Amino acid sequence: MEKQNTLLELQNYIGGTFISTRSYIDSFDPSTGKVYCKVPDSGHEEVSAAVEAAKAAFPLWSSKTSQDRSTIMCKLADLIESHMEEFVQAESKDQGKTVGLARTVDIPRSVYNFRFFASSIQHHTTECTQMDHLNCMHYTVRTPVGVAGLISPWNLPLYLLTWKIAPAIACGNTVVAKPSEMTSVTAWMMCKLMDEAGVPPGVINIVFGTGSKAGEALVGHPDVPLISFTGSTVTAQHIIEKSAPFYKKLSLELGGKNPAIIFEDADLKECIATTVRSSFTNQGEICLCTSRIYVQSSVYEEFLKRFVEATRKWKVGNPSDPTASMGALISQNHLAKVKGYVKKALEEGASVVCGEGIDVLSIPPEHRGGYFMLPTVIVGLKEDSCCMQEEIFGPVTCVVPFDSEEEVIEKANGVKYGLSATLWTRDVGRVHRVAKKLQSGLVWTNCWLVRDLNLPFGGIKASGVGREGAKDSYEFFTEVKTVTIKH
Ligand code: NAD
């Protein structure tokens, strides 16, 4: 009983007010395996209330100037930044990522998302054409869509949630957002800053709960004409079906099975350091993480030896340990799923060169119930094996040799996904040839995860529909109309 009282209890944020629910979901600290937080288990009732609040706030918010909206967004960014360390600690505890990653990536990027769209919204122009022979001119006008439904995953909680909220409200929409039920804390903390930032009640509503209840209620709500979703390909299929009868606008950012292609002329030192990072950052729980590494045969043995040495130095530890490179996986189920892939690989005749289970004695006693595993490298897999075809979304990467450019392009493209690819070569001609042929929304050459938010982000094939970025998000979160004037 005493323990119950110490649990953090979140509330929905609807119409500028914190509202409790009747039932709650347990949320676990991935680094201890213990329940530490109660998340509202919202359903139709709460989602409907949030949609009503968003509808009521829409006329005023959408009629503000973009400069006024921008000022409020910048204030919210400043406030999050002024509470940086609280957000950093909370994100690390909730998700299992290292505090170092939350401090250098997650929270600064969440702040930047607001600042970026607050600025970018002021730089768009619309088109105008002339038809002098008919005395006509045409121009386009863009208007906000209405109430935007935003659904985000657990791997980069505040980062990906604000990547949706910021462009949506910058364009004049009001929103109902549903973060992942496994990582809701930083979204709730952000709600506490809305009033001081001057966000009018009802502009940003956050409803917590599961996908099957709160998520489905949002997708199926007739007054939510637009859904921006980041998550798994399987959930996306469900969302497509559920929203089809309403003709909803959809943006879907989904899973990946991202290849790194390493040619013999690559700078191996830089390539190995970056590929360890691209495979294992955030416990491999980033949609852009490398999970298939193709290495040209002439440098395969050397690459593998040095890559494994570097991987063994990647320290797994308590997320608050400043020397840890990797923290805990998100949940018991997810850890079992990821380990299950390693087991399948062994059954399929592959070898684990390093990694998998962790020596519990290397972890402080209070963290021994946490969901830890070592960064794992697998070799000897066939192209059609589960580990080469399916998204594992954990610290597991597969290394495979190849001989020719044509062969590796075919292999890299031989999966259902097409999110990102990484290319390592000093040959500029090859970069152009290969990048063009890769079935992938993003191609990084001699680097990984270098992003300019102005440019399109998103995947092809089963990795998604639509793009996000300055222009792309602006187009998604607005409706365009062509107006013709005869003069
Ligand atoms: P998920 O699909 O299980 O859940 C994502 C969100 O959808 C959560 O908020 C969840 O509650 C909600 N949801 C689940 N079922 C729903 C339903 N029936 N209706 C409405 N909402 C529902 O994904 P996850 O496990 O949280 O995240 C991991 C996945 O996300 C991976 O596949 C990863 O690759 C992908 N991802 C993609 C990107 C990208 O930008 N492409 C970024 C991050 C993560």
Side-chain angles (χ1 to χ4, degrees):
M1 204 52 209
E2 197 186 25
K3 211 166 183 195
Q4 286 283 320
N5 293 336
T6 63
L7 295 181
L8 182 63
E9 190 174 295
L10 313 188
Q11 298 87 28
N12 288 327
Y13 184 70
I14 299 174
T17 307
F18 286 97
I19 300 174
S20 299
T21 41
R22 280 187 286 275
S23 55
Y24 289 85
I25 308 157
D26 286 340
S27 183
F28 293 78
D29 173 345
S31 77
T32 62
K34 292 189 180 135
V35 176
Y36 87 105
C37 173
K38 295 273 180 199
V39 173
D41 185 13
S42 312
H44 277 281
E45 190 183 324
E46 291 81 1
V47 168
S48 294
V51 173
E52 285 311 312
K55 277 166 65 182
F58 181 75
L60 183 67
W61 184 250
S62 57
S63 61
K64 277 187 185 296
T65 63
S66 56
Q67 287 90 335
D68 285 347
R69 291 198 291 264
S70 172
T71 304
I72 292 170
M73 289 170 67
C74 287
K75 177 80 179 156
L76 183 56
D78 292 348
L79 284 168
I80 298 171
E81 191 169 55
S82 69
H83 292 273
M84 177 67 72
E85 201 49 31
E86 291 155 56
F87 276 95
V88 164
Q89 296 296 335
E91 200 72 304
S92 165
K93 188 174 177 65
D94 210 22
Q95 202 268 342
K97 65 179 71 235
T98 62
V99 283
L101 191 67
R103 193 178 288 127
T104 52
V105 176
D106 289 73
I107 309 304
R109 171 61 190 275
S110 307
V111 170
Y112 186 57
N113 284 338
F114 282 112
R115 290 198 179 128
F116 176 82
F117 284 106
S119 165
S120 115
I121 191 64
Q122 300 187 64
H123 301 282
H124 296 292
T125 54
T126 54
E127 301 143 294
C128 178
T129 60
Q130 314 283 341
M131 288 175 118
D132 290 343
H133 62 295
L134 295 175
N135 285 341
C136 277
M137 67 170 283
H138 311 273
Y139 68 92
T140 59
V141 61
R142 285 195 169 268
T143 49
V145 179
V147 177
L150 314 176
I151 301 176
S152 56
W154 48 258
N155 64 325
L156 299 167
L158 195 64
Y159 171 139
L160 288 174
L161 185 70
T162 52
W163 175 238
K164 296 184 183 305
I165 292 177
I169 64 168
C171 292
N173 302 283
T174 54
V175 309
V176 177
K178 194 209 81 65
S180 168
E181 60 275 28
M182 286 190 271
T183 53
S184 297
V185 173
T186 48
W188 173 74
M189 288 168 64
M190 181 174 72
C191 295
K192 294 185 182 182
L193 305 174
M194 301 281 185
D195 198 30
E196 192 181 344
V199 178
V203 171
I204 300 174
N205 305 278
I206 304 210
V207 177
F208 299 101
T210 62
S212 56
K213 278 176 71 181
E216 293 222 2
L218 188 55
V219 172
H221 199 296
D223 296 338
V224 178
L226 170 155
I227 298 288
S228 173
F229 169 79
T230 300
S232 65
T233 299
V234 173
T235 305
Q237 282 173 349
H238 198 72
I239 289 177
I240 293 167
E241 284 166 23
K242 188 100 190 167
S243 58
F246 302 98
Y247 314 101
K248 294 194 183 204
K249 243 183 145 175
L250 292 181
S251 166
L252 306 170
E253 297 291 347
L254 314 176
K257 188 69 194 169
N258 313 306
I261 302 174
I262 298 159
F263 287 98
E264 59 191 357
D265 64 339
D267 173 346
L268 277 195
K269 187 165 178 251
E270 200 176 333
C271 164
I272 287 166
T274 304
T275 309
V276 170
R277 236 173 16 90
S278 73
S279 300
F280 305 121
T281 295
N282 205 38
Q283 305 74 243
E285 296 166 328
I286 301 183
C287 54
L288 305 163
C289 275
T290 302
S291 62
R292 297 176 292 152
I293 305 176
Y294 293 104
V295 189
Q296 201 151 24
S297 299
S298 50
V299 291
Y300 176 80
E301 291 301 336
E302 186 191 351
F303 172 89
L304 185 62
K305 180 171 164 287
R306 289 168 58 183
F307 182 72
V308 168
E309 277 167 16
T311 299
R312 289 203 171 112
K313 291 188 187 136
W314 194 257
K315 183 180 167 188
V316 178
N318 166 19
S320 62
D321 174 353
T323 64
S325 308
M326 223 172 84
L329 274 71
I330 185 67
S331 67
Q332 182 84 63
N333 280 348
H334 192 58
L335 178 67
K337 181 185 150 194
V338 175
K339 283 189 170 176
Y341 273 107
V342 180
K343 192 164 166 264
K344 266 189 220 165
L346 292 170
E347 285 163 8
E348 286 173 330
S351 319
V352 173
V353 196
C354 71
E356 216 205 325
I358 191 159
D359 172 10
V360 283
L361 296 179
S362 68
I363 301 175
E366 66 274 24
H367 291 286
R368 288 187 189 157
Y371 316 130
F372 297 97
M373 74 178 275
L374 294 171
T376 300
V377 181
I378 301 178
V379 296
L381 281 162
K382 295 207 176 77
E383 285 301 306
D384 61 357
S385 62
C386 296
C387 284
M388 290 295 283
Q389 291 292 320
E390 295 171 21
E391 183 185 45
I392 300 174
F393 213 53
V396 176
T397 197
C398 313
V399 189
V400 181
F402 74 90
D403 291 313
S404 72
E405 199 175 294
E406 295 68 33
E407 174 200 347
V408 78
I409 292 169
E410 193 183 328
K411 285 182 170 171
N413 290 342
V415 293
K416 70 176 179 177
Y417 295 103
L419 187 55
S420 74
T422 313
L423 205 52
W424 290 88
T425 176
R426 295 182 225 223
D427 179 338
V428 179
R430 176 181 275 158
V431 171
H432 285 299
R433 275 195 312 275
V434 179
K436 205 168 171 189
K437 288 184 187 159
L438 285 173
Q439 294 168 353
S440 167
L442 303 136
V443 179
W444 280 295
T445 303
N446 302 325
C447 62
W448 176 69
L449 205 45
V450 179
R451 291 266 293 116
D452 177 343
L453 304 192
N454 284 294
L455 298 186
F457 175 91
I460 62 172
K461 304 202 283 189
S463 290
V465 177
R467 295 290 183 275
E468 297 174 328
K471 184 165 172 281
D472 299 272
S473 297
Y474 174 61
E475 289 177 356
F476 177 67
F477 284 111
T478 54
E479 289 290 7
V480 69
K481 192 177 296 172
T482 302
V483 180
T484 303
I485 302 175
K486 189 166 163 73
H487 51 84

